[in-house]
Amino acid sequence: QYPGNAQVLSHLARLEYNLATAGRAQPIDKLMMNFDRSHLNAAREWASQAVAADPELADAWSTSARVALANSEVRESLEMLGRAEALDPSSVTRRLDKGDALRAMAAYTGDDAHLALALKEYELVLQEPIDSRDEFVALRAMGETWSLMGDSRKAIAYLTRSISGFEGKELAFALE
């Protein structure tokens, strides 16, 4: 019904991406594992059309970046996230996506400097008091990143904060 609408195309791309990755293991250092390739290819096509329809739509670039990352195109993903960030610099979701892409870049290149950059992206998501889903996702990602960097103390501290809030309150209670 809206064949040239960039937002509709971007949403279709996000839907196909979600179908491609739903319920599948996605360890950050093992890209392209267990993804449904037909949905991932469809997501790439819809995302490309969205970017072509409106190159100023940050969500189209972010979705393209997620698809690129799922296809092990880490550098391209970071470039696309850079475009999205330039268009919408205050987006929390883009910060989380960029942190994830930087963690993947660290695994891909073996350069742990990308992990420190990922931590900075996740830190930008946090606003005291911590009370949103995105903030708890950032805390979890920070814990995982500190673990990758070999600092168990910080990893446990961030992961504990992550499970003690938002959706993890019940889990934290069960662990006590």
Side-chain angles (χ1 to χ4, degrees), residues 6-25:
Q7 285 201 323
V8 170
L9 296 168
S10 182
H11 289 304
L12 289 170
R14 183 66 62 105
L15 174 67
E16 290 289 349
Y17 171 83
N18 288 338
L19 290 170
T21 61
R24 291 169 171 83

Side-chain angles (χ1 to χ4, degrees), residues 54-59 61 81-90 94:
D54 185 357
E56 301 297 310
L57 181 62
D59 189 54
W61 286 106
L81 284 168
R83 297 280 304 263
E85 186 177 14
L87 294 167
D88 186 10
S90 63
R94 283 180 245 306

Side-chain angles (χ1 to χ4, degrees), residues 99-136:
D100 292 348
L102 286 163
R103 285 175 45 195
M105 180 63 92
Y108 181 73
T109 64
D111 184 355
D112 286 351
H114 296 292
L115 295 175
L117 294 173
L119 283 172
K120 288 181 182 180
E121 292 298 325
Y122 297 136
E123 285 171 5
L124 292 171
V125 173
L126 303 179
Q127 302 283 326
E128 295 293 339
I130 306 293
D131 61 0
S132 78
R133 178 189 176 282
D134 290 330
E135 290 168 320
F136 288 105

